[in-house]
């Protein structure tokens, strides 16, 4: 482990996001899964899922992944979580810190934030991006394994944003999934893996 890496306990309300939005529908889904866990299961989950974060200016932790789960836990009344500090950049000022995170691919490009002040100050300030919810639902419906390419789901969401009406997934969820599935297959997923339930449909045309 790098000298800067350590695991600490942090109040959820004090975590800083490194993106502007999440899919609220996905947050609700994670809240439901959390509620279904036993008391022991909840403790086990919290112990085994530290949130990766960078220690930054003003002694604040900036979470770089797991925003949906973090917001879900906050809304469920969880007070503290484990944070895996992946780097200590607390010696930098706000501008140097933001630029460093950008260079290291730790700031989400979606929404094109230009300064640290443009990011939400707390998890509860994250906006709702319906296209993030649509991508999450698409991945669940198709059985697609999670793509660990940095910000892959943001790229999918931003792509769909330019092709689909933002209200479609609320007014006609089935049609939205069908349209999104077709677009993603054509551009991002031309050769679906065996785990994808849409594989036969793709092959069969």
């Amino acid at each position: 482990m790098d000298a800067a890496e350590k695991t600490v306990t942090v109040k959820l309300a004090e975590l800083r996001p490194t993106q502007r939005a999440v899919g609220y529908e996905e947050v609700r889904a994670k809240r439901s899964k959390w509620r279904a866990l036993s008391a022991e299961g909840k403790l086990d989950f919290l112990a085994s899922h530290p949130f990766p974060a960078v220690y930054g200016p003003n002694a604040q932790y900036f979470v770089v992944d797991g925003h949906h789960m973090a917001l879900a836990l906050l809304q469920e009344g969880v007070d503290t979580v484990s944070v895996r500090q992946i780097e200590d950049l607390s010696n930098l000022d706000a501008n140097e810190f933001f630029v460093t995170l950008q260079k290291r691919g730790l700031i989400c490009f979606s929404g094109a934030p230009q300064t640290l002040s443009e990011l939400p100050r707390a998890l509860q300030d994250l906006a709702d991006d319906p296209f993030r919810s649509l991508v999450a639902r698409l991945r669940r419906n198709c059985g697609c394994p999670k793509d660990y390419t940095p910000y892959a789901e943001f790229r999918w969401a931003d792509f769909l944003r330019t092709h689909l009406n933002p209200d479609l997934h609320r007014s006609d969820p089935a049609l939205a999934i069908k349209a999104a599935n077709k677009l993603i297959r054509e551009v991002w997923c031309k050769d679906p893996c065996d785990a994808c339930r849409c594989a036969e449909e793709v092959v069969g045309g």
Side-chain angles (χ1 to χ4, degrees):
M1 175 181 290
D2 185 273
E5 289 197 9
K6 60 180 179 180
T7 300
V8 296
T9 299
V10 177
K11 286 185 175 294
L12 266 171
E14 296 177 359
L15 281 180
R16 290 287 304 272
T18 53
Q19 61 191 54
R20 284 178 160 175
V22 291
Y24 281 14
E25 181 182 309
E26 183 67 1
V27 172
R28 289 192 291 271
K30 291 187 179 297
R31 291 183 69 178
S32 295
K33 290 182 178 180
W34 172 257
R35 291 174 185 172
L37 294 175
S38 65
E40 182 178 359
K42 290 177 179 177
L43 291 176
D44 288 344
F45 178 88
L46 292 176
S48 60
H49 289 78
F51 291 90
V54 176
Y55 192 48
N58 301 316
Q60 293 180 310
Y61 279 98
F62 292 76
V63 63
V64 297
D65 194 20
H67 289 75
H68 286 88
M69 192 70 231
L71 180 56
L73 292 175
L74 182 66
Q75 293 178 349
E76 285 298 307
V78 175
D79 183 43
T80 61
V81 293
S82 293
V83 164
R84 179 170 57 86
Q85 178 181 301
I86 62 174
E87 196 162 2
D88 183 348
L89 299 176
S90 58
N91 61 313
L92 303 180
D93 64 30
N95 182 63
E96 292 172 328
F97 178 74
F98 184 81
V99 170
T100 299
L101 291 189
Q102 276 188 318
K103 289 180 177 178
R104 299 182 186 180
L106 297 175
I107 289 287
C108 178
F109 61 88
S110 186
Q114 298 300 313
T115 65
L116 195 63
S117 63
E118 291 182 29
L119 290 172
R121 295 197 61 82
L123 292 166
Q124 60 264 33
D125 297 328
L126 285 162
D128 180 24
D129 180 358
F131 286 96
R132 290 296 310 282
S133 294
L134 179 59
V135 168
R137 185 158 17 113
L138 174 65
R139 187 163 54 81
R140 284 196 300 270
N141 285 11
C142 292
C144 302
K146 184 174 177 62
D147 186 345
Y148 288 96
T149 304
Y151 302 115
E153 293 185 2
F154 282 94
R155 296 179 190 277
W156 284 26
D158 285 344
F159 169 73
L160 292 176
R161 198 186 321 278
T162 64
H163 291 80
L164 296 178
N165 185 307
D167 294 324
L168 182 61
H169 83 289
R170 291 194 180 100
S171 61
D172 195 336
L175 180 58
I177 284 292
K178 183 176 181 180
N181 194 353
K182 183 175 184 296
L183 287 165
I184 292 297
R185 289 203 316 262
E186 290 175 348
V187 177
W188 295 93
C189 198
K190 297 179 181 179
D191 185 21
C193 67
D194 292 339
C196 292
R197 288 189 287 271
C198 60
E200 291 184 5
E201 180 182 348
V202 175
V203 173

